[in-house]
Each structure stands twice: as C-alpha cells, then as structure tokens.
Amino acid sequence: MNAWIVAGSAIGLLAFVPLAKQIIRGEIRQNFATWILWTAMDGTAAATIIAQKGNFLLPAGYSLACFVTALLILRSKTFAWTKFETMVTFLVGICLVVWYFSGAWMATIASTAAMLIAGVPQLLETYRKPWDSPFTVYAMFTIAPIFSMLGGRGWTIEERLYPGALFGYSALIVFFTVRKFWRTKSTQP
C-alpha cells in the first residue's frame, strides 16, 4: 500500500464528514436503498480485492462509511423504498450469484457492477433534484478514486476497476449536481 492509495482513501473518507452533517441537519436528501446496497457491495468488492492482494483500502473504508450514512438516513426518516429500489436490489442479487459461482477475479467485476447498479436510484434522484445533492461531497468522491488509481501497481481488475468505476459514477453525479447552480426548484423536470 502506498501514499497514493492512502491519500485517496483519506479524501474519500473525509467526504463523509460534511455528508453526515448535512444529512443530520436535514439540508440534503440521499437515497437509503443506494447507501445500504453500497454498504454490501463495497464490502464485497473489498473482500474480493483483498483475496487477490489488490487495492482494497478505498472500498473497505467506503463500506463502513456507507453503513454509517445509511443509518443516518434511516434516522432522519427521509427515505422511501419503492418497486424501483426492489428491482435494483434484485439486480444486485444477480451480481452476487455471479460472484458465488466464480472466483475472486469475477467477483470483483460483479461486485463493482453491482455497486454501480445500486447507485442508480441516487443517480436518478440527483438528476431530478440536483439541489438535494451535496456538490463538495461528490467532488471529493470523484477525486478520491483518482488517487487510488494512481497508487495501483498495475492495470489489472483488482487494482483499477473499482476506483475507475467509482470515478465515472461520481463524475456523473457531480455533472448532475452542478446543474443546481443554474436551475431553481421551480424549473425541475
């Protein structure tokens, strides 16, 4: 483990501090289903990457932080579970079945895919209501995997897939979030 990986993980974990504060204060809304599913998927990704002796620190830290975030959302009583969240959970379950019947390498791919699928509800909520998404937090979530990728030992699944996928997802959330700076709540889609 090198300084790039540690720095990326530290930036990623620091992003959870303002996120937690904003959830507690009721300033933002986040999707409970996304965060509880991310807890499981990040944990699975970390476990499979550890099994391959790869770049695991970012998903391991995120799994713990996602769990705390999900608890804060639950405590805030601002969550809903609809048929859409159930469908996403089913798709995540399919990825876990793939993991069960394959080795750590394929499990890393499946759990990373599941992490992205689990993020769809949050992605859609951010698109619909960009003002409910914390820009600084997701900007930090976009920067953290860059550091983690820089620290990877090689261009392999266990070193680069998770941080690369996380970077793409977070960048898309940031793109949807910046729309709040030129839109008002009255011009929502």
Side-chain angles (χ1 to χ4, degrees):
M1 191 156 329
N2 61 43
W4 288 109
I5 293 171
V6 173
S9 299
I11 291 167
L13 289 175
L14 284 174
F16 283 95
V17 174
L19 177 67
K21 286 180 182 178
Q22 290 173 321
I23 291 170
I24 290 168
R25 292 181 190 147
E27 297 171 358
I28 60 167
R29 292 193 65 194
Q30 296 289 289
N31 186 284
F32 173 76
T34 290
W35 288 96
I36 200 66
L37 291 170
W38 275 344
T39 299
M41 293 303 89
D42 289 343
T44 302
T48 62
I49 293 168
I50 288 169
Q52 299 172 81
K53 298 178 180 23
N55 185 355
F56 70 90
L57 193 57
L58 190 63
Y62 275 15
S63 182
L64 177 62
C66 286
F67 179 71
V68 171
T69 302
L71 289 179
L72 291 174
I73 294 167
L74 194 61
R75 185 176 159 263
S76 74
K77 298 180 181 143
T78 61
F79 67 93
W81 193 282
T82 67
K83 288 179 183 178
F84 182 73
E85 280 81 6
T86 301
M87 181 199 66
V88 169
T89 303
F90 177 73
L91 292 172
V92 168
I94 290 171
C95 292
L96 289 175
V97 169
V98 169
W99 167 63
Y100 180 77
F101 289 106
S102 64
W105 186 81
M106 184 55 93
T108 300
I109 295 169
S111 60
T112 301
M115 182 261 309
L116 294 173
I117 292 167
V120 169
Q122 187 64 50
L123 193 64
L124 293 176
E125 280 193 28
T126 303
Y127 178 78
R128 288 185 201 121
K129 300 175 185 175
W131 42 85
D132 286 343
S133 184
F135 172 77
T136 304
V137 169
Y138 281 104
M140 290 173 74
F141 284 154
T142 303
I143 293 166
I146 293 170
F147 281 84
S148 187
M149 285 185 351
L150 288 171
R153 292 181 307 236
W155 284 96
T156 60
I157 296 296
E158 64 272 15
E159 293 291 329
R160 307 284 169 109
L161 179 64
Y162 179 89
L166 185 60
F167 168 77
Y169 176 84
S170 298
L172 194 53
I173 289 275
V174 167
F175 176 74
F176 288 162
T177 301
V178 296
R179 295 169 39 243
K180 73 181 177 183
F181 299 121
W182 63 81
R183 296 181 63 149
T184 62
K185 288 186 180 184
S186 62
T187 62
Q188 61 182 319

